[in-house]
Amino acid sequence: MLSKHDIYEMGNRSKGRETVATVSIDSEVCEQILQSLKEINSKLDKLVVQTEPIPPKIKQLDIVDSMDVMTLLSLPDHLRTTATTLFEIGPATAEEIATSTKKERAVESNYLNQLVRMDHVEKYRTGRKVYFQIKDNA
Amino acid sequence: MALCLAVHSSKGGSGKTSISINLAAAYALEGKNVCLIDIDMRGPSLYTFFDAKPPLWINDFLSKKCGMMDIVEDVSSRFQTSGKFFVAYANPEIKEIRDFACQDRSWQSKALKTLISGKKELFANGIDVVIFDTSPGVEYESVNAVAASDMVLVTHNSTNVSLNAIEQLITGIYNPLSKKVALINNMCHGNIMNSIVEEEVFGIPILENISCMCDVAVKSNNQVLVISEPQHWFSRSIINIKDKLERFQ
Ligand SMILES: Nc1ncnc2c1ncn2[C@@H]1O[C@H](COP(=O)(O)OP(=O)(O)OP(=O)(O)O)[C@@H](O)[C@H]1O
Ligand SMILES: [Mg+2]
């Protein structure tokens, strides 16, 4: 156990060194900075390796945006109803989906575009109409 | 009439296949055009029961190698049904089952689209009732079949394990997919006829309670009971289920 006296003494000792420290600070800090720079450099090297083009095989495995039935089940209720309807009636306009789900066209359009952003659904244009369909990966 | 039923269960051996075959036959006897489809891709049964060696299987259809009407076998004359009785089989070859078990999510996604289009193709060809005999539990093909159907008939073998797992299926699969669900208590034990029978479980109606009868297991090897013994308890239950389903629509 340290006594009050010990602590007082330690404080004094460190105070005493302060004058010395101001002299040696430059070389000590420089050493630390150099060490840090080396570390950063080696970390950067690792990062560069990681961002090199990923071999196509690994990339393919990464694309699992398919709207399979398990994904469907994990969607929030409102999106699930939209997606289920799209599965059932095939490529459809927001209007057609809205008729089936008995919701507003604008609401369904919003949901469908959310599904497009999630990469589960794709949209295409035929004439003046925009159609949505469950995305086919590969 | 256009009705698509998925016969499903939480656990295996609860009577899905027996009930699917007999229910399909009951509809066909009544004059409805029926198509019974083996979706139990990992443990096909219907090819054995119907002693079938079809050139094309449901596997080929799901892989888009052919149309739905190319894979169905017409067994109406064999069973002398007044309505059309079609059956589509799952391929029992181990290589096919292995291939199927390895399919990824992208394939399953397409398989669901294909299954829905197949159902529509059958309806367009005059089929009134489509029945999917599925694998128990949360297999991809079974959940796909549930998603493609209008209604799920859950067979339950009266064990607590099965019952607990059914609750999971209801909350995790049937309800999220907005499916109508009805339960069949099969292989009930004890003096079930005299006991007070519940009307529903977890909010889903019980359509029928069928006792455990050893002769059902024996005779079901090579007979369709609703055809060979229409007065049998099992057959009467099947007719009951069919009639209740009509009111359920
Ligand atoms: N009510 C019953 N009484 C006695 N045996 C029955 C009854 N219902 C079905 N069986 C028998 O139980 C066995 C299992 O039935 P079945 O094959 O129809 O179940 P399943 O749910 O399709 O099984 P799996 O999960 O393996 O596909 C069969 O031998 C069948 O004849
Ligand atoms: Mg079976």
Side-chain angles (χ1 to χ4, degrees), chain A residues 68 71 80 88 134 137-138, chain B residues 105-106 113 119-120 140 176:
Chain A
D68 62 305
T71 309
R80 193 185 325 109
E88 186 66 40
I134 301 290
N137 279 318
Chain B
R105 291 170 52 192
S106 162
K113 273 197 211 173
K119 172 190 76 176
K120 291 181 184 168
Y140 249 115

Side-chain angles (χ1 to χ4, degrees), chain B:
Chain B
M1 180 186 185
L3 171 66
C4 183
L5 286 172
V7 182
H8 191 216
S9 68
S10 59
K11 305 290 280 182
S14 57
K16 293 179 294 298
T17 302
S18 319
I19 289 169
S20 300
I21 294 173
N22 280 278
L23 192 59
Y27 275 115
L29 281 176
E30 191 193 66
K32 296 265 161 48
N33 298 325
V34 189
C35 185
L36 171 64
I37 304 175
D38 198 344
I39 298 282
D40 191 351
M41 315 289 291
R42 288 150 213 261
S45 304
L46 296 186
Y47 79 100
T48 306
F49 185 83
F50 291 94
D51 192 21
K53 289 170 193 68
L56 292 164
W57 310 81
I58 185 76
N59 311 59
D60 301 304
F61 171 70
L62 292 177
S63 304
K64 292 189 171 174
K65 290 180 190 146
C66 56
M68 190 65 174
M69 294 309 284
D70 301 329
I71 67 164
V72 297
E73 185 190 13
D74 186 348
V75 297
S76 329
S77 54
R78 188 162 137 199
F79 292 99
Q80 300 184 325
T81 55
S82 52
K84 287 244 172 295
F85 189 177
F86 287 171
V87 190
Y89 306 96
N91 194 331
E93 291 259 343
I94 191 66
K95 189 192 167 295
E96 284 292 328
I97 298 177
R98 276 200 327 243
D99 284 355
F100 180 82
C102 293
Q103 298 296 4
D104 61 5
R105 291 170 52 192
S106 162
W107 190 92
Q108 294 292 358
S109 167
K110 279 179 237 167
L112 174 55
K113 273 197 211 173
T114 310
L115 196 59
I116 292 173
S117 75
K119 172 190 76 176
K120 291 181 184 168
E121 189 182 336
L122 288 170
F123 288 149
N125 278 278
I127 293 295
D128 304 301
V129 186
V130 174
I131 299 178
F132 295 129
D133 177 20
T134 69
S135 298
V138 192
E139 295 291 359
Y140 249 115
E141 63 272 32
S142 302
V143 185
N144 275 349
V146 166
S149 62
D150 306 309
M151 187 179 170
V152 195
L153 263 191
V154 184
T155 63
H156 162 54
N157 66 3
S158 314
T159 62
N160 286 342
V161 174
S162 161
L163 203 61
N164 288 339
I166 284 175
E167 189 175 17
Q168 293 292 318
L169 291 178
I170 294 170
T171 54
I173 293 176
Y174 310 145
N175 285 351
L177 292 174
S178 319
K179 296 299 167 188
K180 284 186 221 161
V181 192
L183 196 94
I184 297 166
N185 269 333
N186 191 23
M187 303 183 206
C188 302
H189 297 284
N191 201 358
I192 192 74
M193 298 306 176
N194 294 334
S195 60
I196 299 160
V197 175
E198 288 171 279
E199 302 244 301
E200 56 168 61
V201 185
F202 311 124
I204 65 168
I206 297 173
L207 283 195
E208 189 70 8
N209 294 282
I210 309 176
S211 298
C212 193
M213 296 167 272
C214 289
D215 67 325
V216 169
V218 177
K219 290 173 180 165
S220 294
N221 266 322
N222 53 9
Q223 295 176 34
V224 181
L225 276 175
V226 284
I227 297 175
S228 61
E229 292 185 37
Q231 291 311 314
H232 195 288
W233 276 111
F234 185 84
S235 308
R236 290 200 221 170
S237 289
I238 295 290
I239 303 296
N240 232 344
I241 292 166
K242 177 181 68 62
D243 292 344
K244 284 185 187 165
L245 279 176
E246 226 136 277
R247 270 175 266 148
F248 211 81
Q249 294 310 302

